[in-house]
Amino acid sequence: MNKSIFFFLLLAGFYGFGQNKNTGSVVLRFDNVAGNEDLVLKDKLYTNGAGESFNVSLFQYFVSNIKLQKADGKEYVLPQDESYFLVRESNPQSQVITIPNVPKGKYVGVSFVIGVDSLRNTKDISERKGTLDVGGEAKDMYWSWNSGYIHLKLEGTSPNIKVDSVRKSQRYAYHIGLFGGYNKPTLNNVRTAAIAFGGESVKVSKSDTPEIKIEADILRILNGPTTLSIVKNPSVMASPISQKVADNYVNLFQYKGVTRVAGTTAKSSSGDSGKTE
Amino acid sequence: MNLQKWGALLVLSVFICLSFRQVQEDLFVKPKHFPEPHYNFKENPLTEKGVQLGKALFFDAMLSKDNTISCGSCHQQSSGFTQHGHALSHGVDDLLTQRNSMPVQNMAWFPDFGWDGGVPHLDLFAISPIQKENEMGETLPNVLEKLRATEHYPKMFQEAFGDKSITTEHFLKAISQYMLTLVSANSAYDKYQNGNKAALNETELQGLAVFNQKCATCHSGELFSDFSHRNNGVKGEDGEDTGREAITLSDKDKYKFRVPSLRNVAVTFPYMHDGSIETLEEVLDHYTNLPVKSPYLDPVLKSGISLTDGEKKSVLAFLNALTDQDFLTNPRFAEPGADIVVASEFKGDWEKTDFGKLDIGVQKALLETLGKYISIKNALGEQDGKTSAVAAAEMQAAFKKVRKEALTPLQTSFFTKIGADLAFDIEHIQETNDYKHQLDHFKYVSVGLYKLVKAFKVKTEQPLLYVYCSEADRKKGGYWLNEQEKVLVNPYLGKKNKCSEVKERL
């Protein structure tokens, strides 16, 4: 048996014991929307701040390095190796993240990296498993020619894009990556979302599993400090404007309330493989 | 467990450890005069099975979308693991690659990879060519699935990594293991560095001195590269490829590309990131005639490089002394199943050599090969890629009829030198129906066949002409063999094109 798996199981065993009294679970439920409407892939048109219509055919992002803030200022930090999740609009299961082994207490907020942090982006291939597997789950969230994960992807079409000899389709694609570079600095589009539970304090214990609803409003990617025109920027990838997109989407997420999950028993949603499904 | 058993176990485990180390040391030996490698071997210890697996993967076309192209297609051993004679290479669907295929050698010392240094770890590199749509056009998950569905690969992964469930990590590490064994450090220059002062002749030594004075600022150290990215005055045909700038997004990095290592440089032509310069002579001319007004040109080149004709000659001699025949012909690195004939390399001037009488059977086979070549040429003149592909398959079959046992040792040495490349290029003509792609290979087939026919004095029924057209191959010029004087068919530019100059009558 692989040594690290064995070690993990051993650790998981210990966690299992710890689970009994002093810990509980927290569920983060991500709901992707467009303004006041629920996000519907392909069939619906939305309007951005530049007054352009567009639909969305693909929307997905990494959520990583999750930290839960307690009322007393302390933090629960998810173990690094279990803290990489890929939320896909096309996959409802991926939108629910269960965090096990959370010390009991009252929590007032959550923070996470939108994307993959710089350090993990520089790691050896042996530390890129589960959701980070470039030959598996992360296949479409990785640039192989300019090594690095794509933090967030938004794709679709806009009827406002004029098709001509240069622009052959109405497609637009926002692939936001870049983490600062390995041996020479470049843009760093790693952003952290900090979400307060609206002044509420959320109780976590063995019998209290709160489900926190977090809304991701795609309009906030295009509207924010910079009002982005899809027509003028139909393709944003490794280019300077990606920074403006990231500066917009740092405000992508909003707290939308808490519900209690009845009769839940905590179970790892990430595990060794880090799978979110 | 009693003491005896413990003792036996201890001896056994020490033995296992030692033999494991032994294997690893054999697979990668740091040349005495080289610096410490950059690659961290502790992350991926080389094992015999791991290297074997990596080699199988490197030469397996299953890594591409339509199972036609392997890493080895564009990285051939005899050309220093570059693609023989190609400015750019052809990926799947006959798409052209963006840049010139780089040598795969001494990878353990490189801090980052590719012309723009966009990949900082050898283990992460292979994903890039596999997934580029104009290279292998495949996805990594698909490749892994294809490998899992085979009978042999799960077994090989089990043997190499103790796990038959083909993972991304093991796949990439296996390919790295093979690439890491590709160490070239036994050229005449290396022999000289390691104490054999007779290994370089006087001209080569003069060349080394000039090189150290005028080239070694960038091509420094035993790897002949400072591993930086610079603009050397080559901007590319349209200036669209901005090189390192695409990685760093910094205007200062515009048109910068890796300072390449110069080991085996004599066999890695054509040169530069876009393959725009064909010969080493022209490379030196490029540096003596730099466009010094270019705002992108590297500061160390701002005043150009001055070289007298004599200095150029000696530098060229020195660069040729960086060719490592052991590396280029080492069967350990060779494509599995490839017909590697480790014959003594022909080194003389072939035009002045008498190769003696040719075996009648060989004469017949070469004549038949020539006949099929003429069919390819005529089909290309009609821009009929289908017909030329068929003719190329026939040419390949005819060429295979050359019985090597019937050749004298001297003939064998020359035939080996020319024949391997010739067979490779013929094969590539038959693999596509795109006449433009075929022409890239036809150019080399023509030159190779001309040399064989002339050197071996192959008797033809009618006079054979060696013809040149300066406008062929995007004005780089190209030769072909033509069978009659009255009707010259220009295979490069079409039947009606009159661009032709008879260079020689055979």
Side-chain angles (χ1 to χ4, degrees):
Chain A
M1 186 188 290
N2 184 316
K3 232 198 284 182
S4 60
I5 292 180
F6 178 73
F7 188 63
F8 175 80
L9 286 179
L10 203 70
L11 262 176
F14 280 120
Y15 276 122
F17 280 116
Q19 191 76 47
N20 286 344
K21 272 188 209 154
N22 300 324
T23 64
S25 296
V26 172
V27 175
L28 302 181
R29 180 176 287 276
F30 287 85
D31 188 15
N32 299 326
V33 302
N36 298 325
E37 304 170 66
D38 191 34
L39 182 64
V40 176
L41 289 181
K42 286 182 190 150
D43 296 335
K44 251 188 166 176
L45 280 178
Y46 307 104
T47 308
N48 66 7
E52 298 153 351
S53 308
F54 63 97
N55 78 354
V56 175
S57 57
L58 181 141
F59 179 48
Q60 53 202 36
Y61 46 85
F62 275 109
V63 167
S64 72
N65 295 274
I66 300 175
K67 296 173 182 173
L68 289 163
Q69 281 87 36
K70 270 185 169 170
D72 62 7
K74 283 183 185 157
E75 260 186 347
Y76 172 67
V77 182
L78 228 74
Q80 249 272 324
D81 283 347
E82 299 157 48
S83 196
Y84 292 90
F85 301 89
L86 181 50
V87 177
R88 299 179 192 265
E89 175 58 16
S90 60
N91 177 352
Q93 285 115 304
S94 74
Q95 296 157 21
V96 182
I97 297 174
T98 304
I99 307 169
N101 310 314
V102 180
K104 71 176 183 185
K106 288 179 174 169
Y107 289 83
V108 295
V110 61
S111 73
F112 52 82
V113 167
I114 311 168
V116 176
D117 54 291
S118 305
L119 186 63
R120 186 63 64 148
N121 258 301
T122 62
K123 290 286 190 186
D124 169 47
I125 188 72
S126 65
E127 295 185 58
R128 297 162 181 260
K129 293 186 172 154
T131 38
L132 295 176
D133 184 353
V134 295
E137 287 193 59
K139 62 177 183 202
D140 57 344
M141 292 298 272
Y142 179 75
W143 283 326
S144 55
W145 53 277
N146 183 6
S147 290
Y149 288 96
I150 297 168
H151 307 306
L152 177 144
K153 252 189 185 182
L154 177 69
E155 292 179 4
T157 55
S158 168
N160 294 73
I161 294 175
K162 290 215 162 47
V163 176
D164 55 27
S165 56
V166 184
R167 192 149 295 152
K168 298 201 167 73
S169 87
Q170 294 187 316
R171 281 177 50 81
Y172 73 90
Y174 283 35
H175 297 179
I176 312 302
L178 302 177
F179 62 91
Y182 287 81
N183 44 15
K184 222 177 174 189
T186 179
L187 288 183
N188 187 340
N189 289 329
V190 175
R191 295 291 182 277
T192 300
I195 300 157
F197 300 153
E200 285 177 62
S201 125
V202 173
K203 193 178 161 198
V204 177
S205 73
K206 196 192 165 211
S207 54
D208 291 293
T209 301
E211 180 178 294
I212 290 149
K213 190 176 168 191
I214 297 171
E215 226 175 60
D217 180 359
I218 55 141
L219 294 182
R220 288 170 171 253
I221 299 169
L222 303 168
N223 313 332
T226 308
T227 302
L228 288 158
S229 157
I230 290 179
V231 174
K232 281 185 196 150
N233 309 291
S235 172
V236 180
M237 294 183 191
S239 62
I241 199 155
S242 65
Q243 197 170 15
K244 308 250 186 237
V245 181
D247 286 340
N248 277 356
Y249 74 54
V250 69
N251 297 317
L252 179 64
F253 300 98
Q254 283 172 297
Y255 172 72
K256 287 288 170 182
V258 60
T259 50
R260 231 143 271 291
V261 183
T264 44
T265 46
K267 77 176 198 340
S268 167
S269 70
S270 54
D272 182 54
S273 70
K275 277 185 182 168
T276 57
E277 299 176 9
Chain B
M1 200 182 279
N2 63 33
L3 204 64
Q4 224 174 356
K5 275 188 186 163
W6 274 112
L9 199 68
L10 185 73
V11 169
L12 190 71
S13 50
V14 167
F15 177 76
I16 289 171
C17 289
L18 282 178
S19 61
F20 187 79
R21 274 190 58 181
Q22 191 59 46
V23 168
Q24 187 181 336
E25 278 168 11
D26 282 355
L27 293 169
F28 180 87
V29 183
K30 183 185 94 62
K32 269 190 290 189
H33 54 307
F34 272 36
E36 284 304 315
H38 190 273
Y39 191 85
N40 181 2
F41 285 88
K42 280 183 197 147
E43 282 175 359
N44 186 18
L46 305 197
T47 63
E48 196 142 11
K49 294 288 181 191
V51 172
Q52 243 170 46
L53 170 60
K55 183 167 140 180
L57 294 169
F58 189 90
F59 289 105
D60 199 327
M62 216 190 271
L63 269 57
S64 63
K65 182 174 77 175
D66 53 7
N67 305 322
T68 58
I69 288 172
S70 73
C71 307
S73 303
C74 301
H75 299 283
Q76 301 158 245
Q77 181 178 11
S78 58
S79 302
F81 288 95
T82 63
Q83 192 174 15
H84 169 69
H86 277 65
L88 304 174
S89 298
H90 295 269
V92 292
D93 301 333
D94 268 324
L95 293 164
L96 269 184
T97 59
Q98 188 189 17
R99 296 174 187 152
N100 184 242
S101 156
M102 294 188 93
V104 182
Q105 53 184 9
N106 303 328
M107 292 288 101
W109 286 270
F110 279 68
D112 50 46
F113 301 88
W115 280 106
D116 56 22
V119 183
H121 197 301
L122 185 61
D123 295 351
L124 294 172
F125 186 76
I127 317 167
S128 183
I130 288 172
Q131 301 202 151
K132 267 199 188 140
E133 60 174 25
N134 56 351
E135 295 191 23
M136 297 162 104
E138 188 43 294
T139 71
L140 186 51
N142 272 351
V143 170
L144 299 180
E145 275 311 311
K146 284 195 266 182
L147 298 177
R148 284 171 193 139
T150 62
E151 207 168 299
H152 58 297
Y153 274 117
K155 247 185 260 168
M156 291 174 83
F157 274 83
Q158 171 72 38
E159 285 171 355
F161 296 103
D163 176 8
K164 66 176 188 326
S165 70
I166 309 184
T167 63
T168 305
E169 179 188 356
H170 292 155
F171 170 78
L172 293 172
K173 283 189 169 173
I175 296 185
S176 287
Q177 288 202 19
Y178 168 65
M179 292 197 287
L180 288 162
T181 62
L182 304 177
V183 175
S184 173
N186 201 25
S187 64
Y189 162 81
D190 294 296
K191 288 172 186 151
Y192 174 84
Q193 284 297 78
N194 286 323
N196 177 2
K197 295 299 168 197
L200 293 182
N201 66 30
E202 204 176 314
T203 317
E204 289 159 349
L205 282 173
Q206 280 165 7
L208 171 61
V210 176
F211 182 90
N212 280 334
Q213 196 195 338
K214 301 192 173 176
C215 316
T217 310
C218 306
H219 295 288
S220 60
E222 293 302 337
L223 277 304
F224 295 91
S225 172
D226 63 354
F227 300 115
S228 65
H229 299 87
R230 301 172 187 259
N231 177 261
N232 66 350
V234 177
K235 225 177 112 178
E237 245 165 67
D238 44 19
E240 259 179 37
D241 185 355
T242 58
R244 180 102 177 121
E245 190 243 16
I247 304 301
T248 63
L249 304 179
S250 163
D251 198 49
K252 283 183 287 184
D253 288 330
K254 228 172 185 178
Y255 305 119
K256 285 187 184 174
F257 296 90
R258 153 83 72 240
V259 172
S261 168
L262 299 180
R263 290 188 163 276
N264 295 307
V265 70
V267 300
T268 65
F269 63 93
Y271 303 101
M272 307 302 172
H273 73 271
D274 55 356
S276 58
I277 303 186
E278 294 234 359
T279 65
L280 283 176
E281 286 85 343
E282 290 166 286
V283 170
L284 296 187
D285 291 343
H286 166 81
Y287 284 114
T288 53
N289 305 316
L290 276 172
V292 284
K293 279 187 186 151
S294 159
Y296 300 105
L297 189 67
D298 197 89
V300 304
L301 293 170
K302 280 289 182 208
S303 42
I305 295 178
S306 65
L307 289 170
T308 64
D309 285 352
E311 285 174 327
K312 277 185 188 172
K313 253 191 188 154
S314 61
V315 169
L316 283 175
F318 168 69
L319 291 176
N320 275 283
L322 291 174
T323 303
D324 175 355
Q325 283 301 337
D326 288 352
F327 176 75
L328 300 174
T329 58
N330 189 337
R332 199 154 68 92
F333 306 148
E335 181 164 3
D339 182 17
I340 263 245
V341 185
V342 192
S344 59
E345 171 86 357
F346 179 77
K347 287 206 174 95
D349 182 347
W350 67 274
E351 284 184 286
K352 289 179 188 153
T353 305
D354 183 1
F355 287 94
K357 202 169 174 286
L358 197 63
D359 171 81
I360 287 184
V362 175
Q363 148 82 28
K364 217 179 131 193
L366 284 177
L367 204 58
E368 193 187 335
T369 307
L370 188 62
K372 301 301 178 189
Y373 166 87
I374 297 291
S375 308
I376 299 177
K377 187 253 306 174
N378 291 336
L380 287 172
E382 304 281 350
Q383 308 192 333
D384 178 356
K386 268 191 188 160
T387 305
S388 52
V390 172
E394 290 167 359
M395 182 177 179
Q396 190 179 30
F399 192 58
K400 276 190 182 151
K401 289 184 192 164
V402 175
R403 280 178 60 241
K404 284 175 204 138
E405 309 85 80
L407 298 170
T408 66
L410 182 64
Q411 288 170 343
T412 304
S413 69
F414 189 65
F415 186 82
T416 309
K417 188 181 164 109
I418 306 288
D421 287 340
L422 196 55
F424 174 86
D425 285 304
I426 298 170
E427 187 173 343
H428 273 69
I429 295 178
Q430 65 141 318
E431 272 177 4
T432 174
N433 286 334
D434 175 2
Y435 78 93
K436 285 181 189 157
H437 182 181
Q438 289 171 338
L439 280 172
D440 290 346
H441 295 280
F442 177 79
K443 186 173 162 175
Y444 295 100
V445 170
S446 300
V447 176
L449 196 58
Y450 157 75
K451 286 181 182 170
L452 270 188
V453 167
K454 188 176 176 188
F456 289 177
K457 301 191 192 73
V458 175
K459 288 180 206 87
T460 53
E461 286 162 23
Q462 33 186 329
L464 199 61
L465 307 177
Y466 194 43
V467 192
Y468 180 76
C469 162
S470 60
E471 282 166 41
D473 189 16
R474 295 167 279 259
K475 301 213 163 132
K476 285 179 197 153
Y479 287 90
W480 76 91
L481 290 164
N482 212 93
E483 71 281 27
Q484 334 174 357
E485 204 156 349
K486 279 181 189 161
V487 194
L488 285 180
V489 176
N490 185 330
Y492 297 96
L493 302 170
K495 210 176 169 183
K496 285 179 190 154
N497 196 295
K498 299 284 179 225
C499 168
S500 62
E501 194 184 327
V502 176
K503 291 279 189 188
E504 204 176 328
R505 280 155 216 274
L506 299 174

